[in-house]
Amino acid sequence: MSTSETTTTEPSTELVDHIDRLHALVERVQAGEPLALTPDALSRLVTDTARIYAGACQASGGKVPVATEGLTATNAVALITALMDAENLNTFDLTLWQSQTGEGAA
């Protein structure tokens, strides 16, 4: 069988498999198992997740709901703060963007 005929999975299917495995690992960590994760690896995970989420929102033409199971307000604010700091954004920038895109409307 040639390289072009090799059976492969589609990127989206492969990504879903990895997401399921990651979720199971996160559940184990939350249950008390130790986690050895470098800041660089965590940074790449957050950045890649943000890129995938933003791309999905753009492709769908709207917001993609975020599951809240296991998510706390503290978790959300910590991540929001880190993302805003990474791009040197402040709450004024966020409010301006939301008013221009309609994303802040309930």
Side-chain angles (χ1 to χ4, degrees):
M1 181 180 294
S2 73
T3 304
S4 62
E5 296 173 355
T6 303
T7 304
T8 60
T9 57
E10 292 182 27
S12 59
T13 302
E14 188 175 354
L15 183 58
V16 169
D17 291 342
H18 286 294
I19 290 167
D20 290 342
R21 289 178 47 218
L22 176 61
H23 181 75
L25 289 171
V26 168
E27 291 296 315
R28 288 172 40 199
V29 169
Q30 292 295 304
E33 286 191 33
L35 174 66
L37 184 63
T38 65
D40 181 57
L42 180 58
S43 178
R44 285 183 290 135
L45 175 63
V46 169
T47 299
D48 289 344
T49 302
R51 292 173 58 203
I52 290 169
Y53 180 81
C57 289
Q58 188 173 24
S60 72
K63 293 179 188 177
V64 175
V66 173
T68 59
E69 182 181 335
L71 183 67
T72 66
T74 300
N75 298 150
V77 171
L79 180 58
I80 292 164
T81 300
L83 291 170
M84 290 178 67
D85 287 349
E87 286 300 312
N88 195 30
L89 298 171
N90 58 52
T91 54
F92 175 79
D93 298 322
L94 181 60
T95 301
L96 182 62
W97 180 82
Q98 288 178 328
S99 69
Q100 291 178 346
T101 62
E103 290 293 321

